[in-house]
């Protein structure tokens, strides 16, 4: 594999108060890959994800040591709003704002200073197309977003993230509230986005990781146990704990 | 090579081709719509800086007001204490601001305030707590809403209106009932103040009663207690912190009320011997005499000393109420 | 029926009677004012200036004065109150300064209205040379209204779901943009309700305006913010205590107009609350 890391963490330790949520994580994310992150609950997956766009800092007691590089640049040297424009996130349950479909997506461009109406229209359309939602909603852009189904809302969230032009998209258990059909559509969408975005998928669903990701990281109790090609992780893991987890012995 | 990987590869090729197509069209770089990384230009960031500065400043302004109020009261009071000892002012039994030499003993006013407040609280606490119990635990839902709205109406009546009614109606009524020489007495004030403090006491007590955990209620019912026994022996004691807070806030309201006492208590700044006599409170003294003083005179400063005493009393009472409110919330 | 049941019935009846002892006077007061005041209310009474030493004519200048004071109060207290609440909910860390602000709000809400009057007099009338004026009176009333507005705004801001903030921040919005677009719009109804309520109190207050703005008798309209005005509550105080031989009807009618104005504002606040509660999507 060509070494083209877009994200690189070095000795990353994360703390909530005195509780250490992540222990010395060294990990690289390749450009345009889908990295699956699996592990039981409380293993630090979500903390890892939210460390990448500094959302963890919303918790007052949070602190971290170590280094995270995005395109070779230290995260601490980037302003939060600039960072989060580059690194978008999709939350566990579809979170839409109580405004119209159009306004949900136009929000990002608006806060980044884009006011030209035609340009915004075009961004909304393109974002919805890329999130494979355009055909379903193009006639009702001015309806409240909360009226969409759960699966549609989640793809709306993807479109909303795409609209600010990110490089990396983080998914925090994106299909935990969705039925199997919506999940399948979501996974299709992720595949289509591969050409242009780096995607990191945190999931409780081991099968989903095996379907979608190219490489896979296994977290356990705040440690990165194993990182490798998804095939290798699922067929012949190096660590016994990884094997135990994916075969369903705990978790 | 497995089948899934095969299809994955085709997918990848397809999307790569697609995006290549888009790029070839030169319309846009698909992943980034090509607008700036930083939100807005410099002007926007300056606007944001200013508004955030305003937000922080407004917090500071609120604190500053409390300090300023205290400082101004203190400054002008201290001017009085240059010529009159603190002891003479606080414990003096004569308030004769325009006699020669003037006397600024605020004890009659303080006793007036305490007396009026005491009777107002004695009247309104039992009524208010009983009403809160009725609203929280006895009244069916529609009646509860009606009662709450009525209490809100009472809270909205301006005090000057109640003072007016005290003059033309309650005062004469009390004079005839108790065969007094005048209807403008401490009792008239106490009754009206009790009425005015009711909304505070009822709403806070009711919150406290309603905030008692359901589990307590169910445990009591489970032991075979009636609703009344549960209310009296379980809910009321558990809500006691909140009720104490309600009483303290009621006291604060009564002590600080001005217009009603100014209008109906008869304005006699002498040491009151009974609640059925005319008297004068701290608040009414300021309101009644401020307009007649000369700025910078001793009398003027004396009124600020009265204000400082009032400030100290309500400050303490509200602080105690706040402590109990916090305890009730826990 | 056993003893416990009988005792319960007696106890509940006692509570009911005590509640009635509160409710009946409230209704009596309302009816008393309306019955005695309604007769004297006329177009002339509402729209004309007082004549013959307030023994005849109307109360138009007092109505205008009170409305001006309410508007002035709002201009100062609404921005200041809302921004302070935004600071407390959206910006503040749990430090000494924040605790100081919260303590100040508690104390402001407890300070007697006459002490506000004293403060307004030394600060605005004397020190800042505003004189007894609309400006001084509005500022005094505004400080008095602050705690209610801050508390209501704080509650309204806290009731906005945190996910909205998280969405906004995750899209790269700055903190202020998040507050401006994703929090304030949903908190506005609660803020307005609290504001109107506190303004209705300000409209009925007399003590803070005694020495800061209120004019005893001024049968013309103000020309600027440095003018004195008549105000309804002060006018009622004056005609019921300071001037002998005022026809009682006029006092009642003035009381009715004042109560009516205050209730109207309360009603607006209740309607706002109900309207937005029905419409809210979160």
């Amino acid at each position: 594999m060509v070494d083209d890391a877009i994200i690189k963490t070095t000795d990353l330790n994360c703390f909530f108060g005195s509780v250490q949520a992540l222990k010395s994580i060294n990990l690289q994310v390749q450009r345009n890959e889908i990295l699956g992150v699996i592990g039981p609950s409380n293993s630090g997956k979500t903390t890892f994800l939210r460390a990448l766009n500094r959302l963890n800092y919303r918790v007052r007691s949070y602190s971290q040591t170590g280094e995270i590089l995005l395109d070779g640049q230290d995260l601490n040297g980037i302003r939060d709003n600039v960072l989060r424009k580059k690194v978008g996130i999709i939350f566990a349950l579809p979170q839409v704002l109580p405004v119209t479909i159009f306004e949900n997506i136009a929000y990002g461009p608006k806060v980044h200073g884009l006011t030209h109406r035609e340009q915004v229209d075009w961004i909304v359309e393109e974002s919805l197309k890329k999130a494979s939602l355009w055909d379903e909603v193009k006639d009702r852009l001015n309806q409240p977003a909360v009226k969409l189904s759960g699966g549609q809302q989640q793809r709306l969230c993807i479109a909303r993230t795409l609209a600010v032009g990110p490089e990396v998209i983080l998914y925090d258990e994106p299909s935990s509230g969705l039925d199997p059909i919506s999940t399948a559509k979501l996974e299709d969408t992720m595949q289509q986005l591969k050409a242009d975005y780096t995607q990191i998928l945190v999931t409780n669903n081991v099968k989903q990781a095996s379907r979608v990701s190219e490489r896979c990281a296994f977290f356990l109790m705040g440690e990165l146990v194993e990182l490798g090609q998804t095939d290798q992780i699922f067929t012949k893991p190096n660590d016994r704990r990884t094997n135990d987890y994916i075969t369903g012995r705990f978790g | 090579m497995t089948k899934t990987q095969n299809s994955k590869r085709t997918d990848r090729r397809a999307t790569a081709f697609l995006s290549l197509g888009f790029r070839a069209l030169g319309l846009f770089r698909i992943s980034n719509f090509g607008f700036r990384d930083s939100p807005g230009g410099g002007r926007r960031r300056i606007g944001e800086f200013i508004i955030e500065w305003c937000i922080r400043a407004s917090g500071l302004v609120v604190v500053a007001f409390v300090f300023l109020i205290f400082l101004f009261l203190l400054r002008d009071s201290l001017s009085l204490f240059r010529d009159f000892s603190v002891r003479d002012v606080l414990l003096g039994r004569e308030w004769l601001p325009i006699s020669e030499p003037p006397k600024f003993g605020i004890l009659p006013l303080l006793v007036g305030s305490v007396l009026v407040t005491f009777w107002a609280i004695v009247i309104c606490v039992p009524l208010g707590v009983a009403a809160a119990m009725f609203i929280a635990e006895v009244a069916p839902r529609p009646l509860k809403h009606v009662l709450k709205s009525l209490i809100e109406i009472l809270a909205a009546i301006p005090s000057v209106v109640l003072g007016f009614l005290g003059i033309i109606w309650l005062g004469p009524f009390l004079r005839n009932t108790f065969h007094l020489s005048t209807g403008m007495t401490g009792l008239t004030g106490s009754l009206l103040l009790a009425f005015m403090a009711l909304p505070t006491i009822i709403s806070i007590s009711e919150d406290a009663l309603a905030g008692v955990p359901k589990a307590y209620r169910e445990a009591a019912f489970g032991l075979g207690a009636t609703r009344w026994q549960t209310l009296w022996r379980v809910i009321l004691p558990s809500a006691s912190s909140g009720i104490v807070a309600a009483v303290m806030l009621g006291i604060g309201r009564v002590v600080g009320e001005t217009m009603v006492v100014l209008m109906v208590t008869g304005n006699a700044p002498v040491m009151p011997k009974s609640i059925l006599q005319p008297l004068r409170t701290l608040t009414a003294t300021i309101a009644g005499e401020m307009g007649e003083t000369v700025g910078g005179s001793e009398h003027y400063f004396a009124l600020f000393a009265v204000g400082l005493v009032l400030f100290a009393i309500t400050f303490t009472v509200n602080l105690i109420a706040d402590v109990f409110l916090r305890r009730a919330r826990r | 029926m056993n003893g416990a049941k009988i005792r319960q019935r007696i106890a509940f009846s006692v509570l009911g009677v005590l509640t009635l002892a509160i409710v009946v006077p409230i209704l009596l007061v309302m009816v008393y004012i309306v019955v005695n005041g309604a007769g004297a209310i006329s177009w002339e009474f509402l729209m004309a200036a007082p004549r013959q030493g307030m023994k005849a004519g109307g109360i138009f200048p007092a109505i205008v004065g009170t409305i001006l004071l309410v508007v002035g109060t709002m201009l100062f207290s609404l921005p200041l109150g809302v921004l302070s609440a935004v600071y407390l909910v959206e910006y503040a860390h749990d430090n000494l300064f924040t605790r100081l602000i919260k303590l100040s709000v508690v104390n402001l809400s407890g300070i007697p209205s006459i002490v506000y009057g004293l403060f307004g007099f030394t600060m605005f009338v004397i020190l800042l040379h505003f004189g007894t004026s609309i400006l001084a009176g509005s500022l005094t009333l505004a400080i008095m209204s602050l705690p209610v507005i801050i508390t209501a705004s704080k509650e309204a801001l806290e009731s906005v779901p945190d996910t909205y903030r998280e969405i906004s921040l995750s899209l790269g919005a700055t903190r202020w943009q998040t507050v401006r677009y994703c929090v304030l719009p949903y908190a506005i109804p609660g803020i307005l309700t609290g504001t109107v309520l506190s303004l209705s109190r300000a409209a009925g207050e007399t003590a803070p305006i005694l020495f800061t703005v209120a004019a005893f008798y001024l049968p013309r309209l103000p020309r600027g913010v440095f003018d004195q005005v008549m105000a309804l509550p002060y006018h009622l105080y004056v005609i019921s205590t300071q001037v002998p031989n005022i026809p009682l009807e006029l006092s009642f009618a003035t009381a009715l107009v004042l109560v009516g104005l205050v209730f109207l504002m309360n009603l607006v606040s209740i309607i706002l609350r109900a309207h937005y509660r029905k419409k809210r999507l979160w």
Side-chain angles (χ1 to χ4, degrees), chain A residues 50 53 55 58 60 81 84-85 87-89 91 95-99 107-108 110-112 146 160-161 164, chain C residues 89-94 162-174 177-178 181-182 186 281-282:
Chain A
R50 290 168 74 98
N53 64 358
L55 271 182
R58 292 204 68 213
R60 296 254 157 86
N81 51 344
R84 290 176 189 150
K85 181 178 176 302
V87 183
I89 189 166
F91 298 108
Q95 309 278 18
V96 297
L97 296 168
V99 289
Y107 180 73
K110 179 170 84 176
V111 299
H112 289 290
V146 283
R160 191 175 59 195
T161 301
V164 297
Chain C
V89 178
E90 309 289 337
Y91 283 83
H93 295 260
D94 191 19
D162 196 47
T163 52
Y164 295 1
R165 299 182 182 90
E166 196 135 83
I167 292 168
S168 175
L169 291 171
S170 79
L171 290 170
T174 59
Q177 285 173 329
T178 301
Y181 298 117
C182 277
Y186 309 108
L281 287 163
W282 68 97

Side-chain angles (χ1 to χ4, degrees), chain B residues 107-129:
Chain B
L107 203 59
L109 316 174
L110 194 62
V111 172
S113 275
V114 170
L115 209 57
V116 168
T117 304
F118 174 77
W119 284 106
I121 291 299
V122 164
I123 295 163
C124 80
V125 166
L127 273 178
V129 175

Side-chain angles (χ1 to χ4, degrees), chain A residues 88-104:
Chain A
I89 189 166
I90 311 296
F91 298 108
L93 296 171
Q95 309 278 18
V96 297
L97 296 168
V99 289
T100 65
I101 296 171
F102 182 90
E103 285 165 343
N104 257 283

Side-chain angles (χ1 to χ4, degrees), chain A:
Chain A
M1 177 165 291
V2 195
D3 185 33
D4 181 16
I6 183 165
I7 291 175
K8 189 174 173 189
T9 74
T10 315
D11 201 20
L12 175 67
N13 292 288
C14 298
F15 305 86
F16 290 99
S18 56
V19 181
Q20 187 161 11
L22 284 180
K23 293 166 194 158
S24 189
I25 305 297
N26 291 290
L27 185 152
Q28 294 192 2
V29 184
Q30 306 299 324
R31 203 175 292 280
N32 289 26
E33 76 167 335
I34 299 183
L35 175 71
V37 178
I38 56 171
S41 40
N42 286 325
S43 57
K45 309 181 299 259
T46 298
T47 305
F48 172 69
L49 205 64
R50 290 168 74 98
L52 299 181
N53 64 358
R54 292 170 61 90
L55 271 182
N56 279 333
Y57 281 99
R58 292 204 68 213
V59 180
R60 296 254 157 86
S61 62
Y62 179 77
S63 61
Q64 79 183 33
T65 64
E67 191 182 50
I68 306 176
L69 298 180
L70 174 70
D71 274 332
Q73 200 182 355
D74 192 327
L75 245 52
N76 293 324
I78 311 176
R79 279 210 314 278
D80 280 357
N81 51 344
V82 176
L83 168 69
R84 290 176 189 150
K85 181 178 176 302
K86 290 183 180 168
V87 183
I89 189 166
I90 311 296
F91 298 108
L93 296 171
Q95 309 278 18
V96 297
L97 296 168
V99 289
T100 65
I101 296 171
F102 182 90
E103 285 165 343
N104 257 283
I105 299 171
Y107 180 73
K110 179 170 84 176
V111 299
H112 289 290
L114 208 72
T115 47
H116 200 64
R117 176 77 201 190
E118 282 162 35
Q119 213 172 352
V120 174
D121 282 349
W122 173 71
I123 288 177
V124 169
E125 182 174 337
E126 288 305 323
S127 306
L128 282 168
K129 279 180 181 161
K130 281 194 280 177
S132 357
L133 192 61
W134 175 250
D135 292 330
E136 292 162 64
V137 301
K138 65 180 173 206
D139 299 323
R140 44 180 178 141
L141 290 176
N142 289 318
Q143 281 186 11
V146 283
K147 287 196 176 161
L148 295 174
S149 73
Q152 288 173 324
Q153 285 190 21
Q154 198 60 296
R155 276 178 285 142
L156 178 68
C157 292
I158 295 179
R160 191 175 59 195
T161 301
L162 295 177
V164 297
E167 291 171 27
V168 181
I169 305 174
L170 313 171
Y171 298 85
D172 188 3
E173 301 175 20
S175 51
S176 54
L178 303 184
D179 60 83
I181 296 171
S182 304
T183 304
K185 273 191 190 157
L186 184 83
E187 289 172 10
D188 282 350
T189 307
M190 290 181 69
Q191 293 299 343
Q192 283 163 29
L193 295 174
K194 248 179 67 72
D196 295 289
Y197 305 95
T198 307
Q199 300 176 82
I200 303 178
L201 170 69
V202 159
T203 178
N204 267 335
N205 181 338
V206 178
K207 291 225 176 69
Q208 183 173 48
S210 76
R211 283 195 300 268
V212 180
S213 67
E214 289 148 355
R215 288 197 311 149
C216 205
F218 174 57
F219 278 68
L220 183 63
M221 291 163 72
E223 284 175 64
L224 174 60
V225 175
E226 196 170 350
L227 171 67
Q229 294 296 315
T230 303
D231 302 332
Q232 174 253 313
I233 294 274
F234 280 87
T235 52
K236 39 180 192 307
N238 292 326
D239 198 291
R240 197 176 49 80
R241 291 171 292 176
T242 314
N243 189 46
D244 285 352
Y245 179 71
I246 58 175
T247 53
R249 248 174 246 167
F250 70 91

Side-chain angles (χ1 to χ4, degrees), chain B residues 1-13:
Chain B
M1 189 172 282
T2 62
K3 216 174 182 178
T4 45
Q5 271 183 318
N6 239 333
S7 66
K8 224 184 249 178
R9 175 155 296 180
T10 6
D11 272 355
R12 204 181 300 170
R13 221 178 283 145

